[in-house]
Amino acid sequence: MALAFDEYGRPFILIKQQDEKGRLRGLDAQKANISAGKAVARILRTSLGPKGMDKMLQSPDGDVTITNDGATILEQMDVDNQIAKLMVELSQSQDYEIGDGTTGVVVMAGALLEQAEHLLERGIHPIRVAEGYEMASRIAVEHLEHISQKFEFGLDNIESLVQTCMTTLNSKIVNRCKRSLAEIAVKAVLAVADLERKDVNLDLIKIEGKVAGKLEDTELIYGITVDKEMSHPQMPKQIEDAKIAILTCPFEPPKPKTKHKVDIDTVEKFETLRVQEQKYFDDMVQKCKDVGATLVICQWGFDDEANHLLMNRNLPAVRWVGGVELELIAIATGGRIVPRFQELTPEKLGKAGLVREKAFGTTKDRMLYIEHCANSRAVTIFIRGGNKMMIEETKRSMHDALCVARNLIRNNSIVYGGGSAEISCSIAVEAAADKYPGVEQYAIRAFADALDCIPMALAENSGLQPIETLSAVKSQQIKENNSYCGIDCNDTGTNDMREQNVFETLIGKKQQILLATQVVKMILKIDDVISPFDY
């Protein structure tokens, strides 16, 4: 390497063998892109299904995450390659829209890229491959709608929702408690759902966790939990029919906003100042009492004098409550957040049937439960676990289960899991390929082969012989014309997913196929990789 100067005196660097270096173009670029996409899919492939393995991820700070959630794995991986970043965004798109199937969508995209590589090597133009994939995805989606079933449910009949959530939780670390956690997820979603409009606001469901206790101790609270306790140990621990003042103003005298200072050089002056401060506190507490508040929740702290005065006036208080929690409490109790004591009125008070302080374990950690609120649509899922990593993974699992229940309320169509839907679509796409006379029929057949990668990965991760198992299930589906036969991952003795109660949402499965096809088409159309240093 040497330094040289151009005619304007600007320095530039000469790199050895610079003439021999070149950009990736054409087939080489496409193969490099496909290779990057396949590498990401290969990482996630072993995490698919109920017997899928977990990944341990270490952040630059040394924090460790153990998970098999595809979106979480890719989000926390340090990815530099641009094509690999597309795969990360693909997984995040599935997570934002559906909440479940984040691993499957990346594995599917990887299989499509692998099949596309064989077609490109045979001389088929990438545009024709992309068009064939588009046709095949439409056939697969239409077939999914054909084999889907409607599931009826109601507030009294939630079994179908619970079974679908159990399918999601089956592949998580928490699968030993999948029944109880699925019931909690369904009850939480139904509590905040508007069944007439088929709308669910997941922001009303708060997920809290606390280390210690067993996973079985996880509970659903029809209200809000706050990781705080009463500001004074002698304040009552239980308040019924509470009227709550939600304040963002502190219990303290106003601070002068000038640069003047107060000199106190006699006892009389100090006493005057102390009396004046006490009068401020008295007025603030009296305003809360006058409007009828029986509990004060404050965003800021207050000193011992104010705390003592609140206790003497029999006005329980909670301090240092975060802004997000204040908003949730205001939504749940029907109260208004008050920024100044002068604006406090009886109409702005929140109402709750029961406010209680609960202690946990031998350490006596305390939390505040606000239950039987005026707006009962705000609920909290309170997770217990042996360590922080377990609680974080349970939170991610519960998020997936909540999203699945929400999707079923939006659209109550389901397809059967265990790879049965993919095998059925593969058979349908393979049969439809003969109707297309052009080169696209090769891409359509390749798409059918790629659909087989999901059941094959499920069999592989379950310790079965992948090719033999897939061939047996596929022939059984064709012979019996039965689209419910899948991979028996749990070794129950039957391939019929109806008997195993393994369901997936139709919109989630459709989204997987459409998103994977869309991203693969984009990757196939890239034939030139230009880095910032090329010009």
Side-chain angles (χ1 to χ4, degrees):
M1 189 169 72
L3 193 65
F5 297 89
D6 63 11
E7 64 266 31
Y8 299 106
R10 295 176 302 198
F12 62 90
I13 294 171
L14 294 176
I15 299 172
K16 191 179 178 184
Q17 299 172 335
Q18 183 163 336
D19 294 341
E20 297 173 20
K21 293 184 181 295
R23 294 204 314 265
L24 283 175
R25 288 190 177 91
L27 189 59
D28 290 335
Q30 285 150 357
K31 282 188 176 180
N33 295 341
I34 288 170
S35 179
K38 279 162 56 181
V40 175
R42 207 176 296 120
I43 292 168
L44 290 194
R45 186 181 169 94
T46 54
S47 299
L48 190 69
K51 300 292 175 71
M53 307 298 276
D54 299 327
K55 308 291 181 189
M56 181 184 281
L57 304 149
Q58 186 173 5
S59 71
D61 300 333
D63 293 336
V64 174
T65 304
I66 298 174
T67 182
N68 71 350
D69 181 59
T72 307
I73 293 168
L74 293 179
E75 188 182 346
Q76 299 200 11
M77 274 171 56
D78 189 11
V79 177
D80 289 331
N81 185 283
Q82 298 305 316
I83 300 300
K85 284 179 181 175
L86 282 178
M87 301 293 271
V88 174
E89 288 169 10
L90 165 67
S91 181
Q92 287 172 348
S93 299
Q94 179 79 8
D95 195 37
Y96 295 152
E97 188 69 23
I98 303 298
D100 186 35
T102 50
T103 307
V105 71
V106 176
V107 173
M108 177 75 195
L112 287 171
L113 288 171
E114 194 172 336
Q115 294 294 330
E117 189 173 21
H118 300 320
L119 296 176
L120 295 178
E121 285 172 350
R122 291 169 69 180
I124 299 176
H125 196 276
I127 294 296
R128 307 303 293 271
V129 176
E131 286 172 357
Y133 277 1
E134 181 67 32
M135 294 171 187
S137 69
R138 284 201 296 268
I139 296 164
V141 167
E142 284 172 14
H143 185 70
L144 279 176
E145 288 174 353
H146 174 66
I147 64 172
S148 67
Q149 290 186 355
K150 293 283 183 187
F151 250 39
E152 299 305 324
F153 64 88
L155 293 172
D156 302 323
N157 177 26
I158 62 170
E159 185 58 29
S160 56
L161 291 173
V162 171
Q163 293 287 357
T164 316
C165 289
M166 281 169 66
T167 303
T168 301
L169 295 172
N170 211 14
S171 62
K172 311 292 183 188
I173 294 175
V174 298
N175 61 1
R176 66 187 174 85
C177 300
K178 62 184 178 183
R179 175 83 203 183
S180 59
L181 292 178
E183 286 176 359
I184 286 171
V186 169
K187 286 173 183 173
V189 167
L190 289 175
V192 303
D194 185 341
L195 293 178
E196 288 183 9
R197 290 173 53 218
K198 293 190 174 182
D199 183 46
V200 179
N201 182 5
L202 290 184
D203 292 335
L204 292 173
I205 302 174
K206 183 185 175 194
I207 303 179
E208 278 288 324
K210 208 166 184 65
V211 175
K214 307 187 296 293
L215 195 57
E216 287 84 350
D217 296 334
T218 300
E219 59 181 327
L220 176 65
I221 299 153
Y222 289 94
I224 300 294
T225 60
V226 185
D227 197 2
K228 300 288 173 188
E229 54 189 283
M230 294 296 182
S231 61
H232 197 289
Q234 293 178 5
M235 286 177 177
K237 308 298 183 198
Q238 187 163 315
I239 305 162
E240 294 183 1
D241 296 324
K243 293 181 179 176
I244 306 168
I246 307 166
L247 306 175
T248 55
C249 44
F251 273 94
E252 60 181 30
K255 291 182 173 64
K257 293 184 180 176
T258 62
K259 292 183 180 178
H260 302 323
K261 59 179 181 177
V262 179
D263 287 327
I264 300 171
D265 50 11
T266 65
V267 175
E268 289 76 15
K269 285 182 181 177
F270 179 79
E271 188 62 28
T272 307
L273 184 66
R274 192 189 69 78
V275 169
Q276 185 63 39
E277 278 196 359
Q278 191 165 1
K279 186 175 182 304
Y280 271 122
F281 288 140
D282 266 335
D283 290 346
M284 290 171 181
V285 176
Q286 195 55 46
K287 276 172 185 159
C288 295
K289 295 287 283 184
D290 288 344
V291 296
T294 57
L295 174 66
V296 172
I297 293 179
C298 185
Q299 187 174 14
W300 304 103
F302 33 83
D303 60 19
D304 291 340
E305 190 174 353
N307 205 11
H308 178 71
L309 199 61
L310 285 161
M311 204 273 292
N312 280 347
R313 293 289 191 86
N314 194 26
L315 185 60
V318 185
R319 55 186 167 185
W320 297 119
V321 178
V324 175
E325 290 172 324
L326 273 187
E327 287 178 13
L328 278 168
I329 292 167
I331 291 168
T333 60
R336 298 281 293 278
I337 296 173
V338 179
R340 285 190 296 274
F341 285 99
Q342 291 82 353
E343 296 180 15
L344 198 56
T345 60
E347 295 79 36
K348 292 182 179 178
L349 298 179
K351 295 178 178 60
L354 180 65
V355 177
R356 61 192 172 99
E357 193 181 276
K358 188 174 177 182
F360 299 98
T362 53
T363 55
K364 295 299 177 190
D365 281 346
R366 290 178 173 84
M367 286 187 78
L368 206 65
Y369 283 43
I370 303 171
E371 299 175 277
H372 311 306
C373 303
N375 175 13
S376 61
R377 293 184 63 204
V379 298
T380 303
I381 297 172
F382 185 48
I383 295 168
R384 309 301 306 283
N387 57 28
K388 189 181 173 187
M389 283 186 286
M390 190 69 189
I391 285 174
E392 292 302 317
E393 179 63 6
T394 307
K395 283 183 181 180
R396 287 188 284 269
S397 304
M398 288 303 289
H399 171 261
D400 286 6
L402 291 170
C403 289
V404 165
R406 176 198 66 184
N407 295 340
L408 269 179
I409 286 172
R410 285 181 177 172
N411 179 353
N412 64 340
S413 296
I414 58 107
V415 291
Y416 288 88
S420 62
E422 284 86 354
I423 294 171
S424 184
C425 286
S426 172
I427 294 165
V429 171
E430 182 80 41
D434 298 331
K435 298 175 186 174
Y436 293 88
V439 178
E440 288 84 5
Q441 66 171 282
Y442 290 98
I444 295 171
R445 286 199 182 90
F447 193 97
D449 291 340
L451 282 168
D452 288 339
C453 77
I454 300 282
M456 196 175 283
L458 287 173
E460 203 172 311
N461 295 343
S462 302
L464 305 170
Q465 291 292 334
I467 296 173
E468 288 177 21
T469 308
L470 176 63
S471 305
V473 173
K474 209 168 190 179
S475 65
Q476 188 180 347
Q477 276 210 20
I478 294 169
K479 187 163 47 172
E480 298 176 7
N481 194 20
N482 178 0
S483 61
Y484 311 129
C485 295
I487 306 297
D488 182 15
C489 298
N490 292 322
D491 200 22
T492 57
T494 175
N495 286 332
D496 196 328
M497 294 296 121
R498 287 176 300 184
E499 291 180 29
Q500 289 199 30
N501 288 324
V502 179
F503 314 124
E504 294 186 59
T505 55
L506 172 65
I507 54 174
K509 191 59 73 179
K510 279 167 62 176
Q511 188 83 356
Q512 267 190 1
I513 291 173
L514 292 172
L515 279 178
T517 309
Q518 192 177 334
V519 169
V520 168
K521 280 173 60 184
M522 187 187 299
I523 293 170
L524 287 175
K525 289 184 179 181
I526 299 169
D527 75 334
D528 201 347
V529 181
I530 304 171
S531 74
F533 307 107
D534 284 336
Y535 293 102

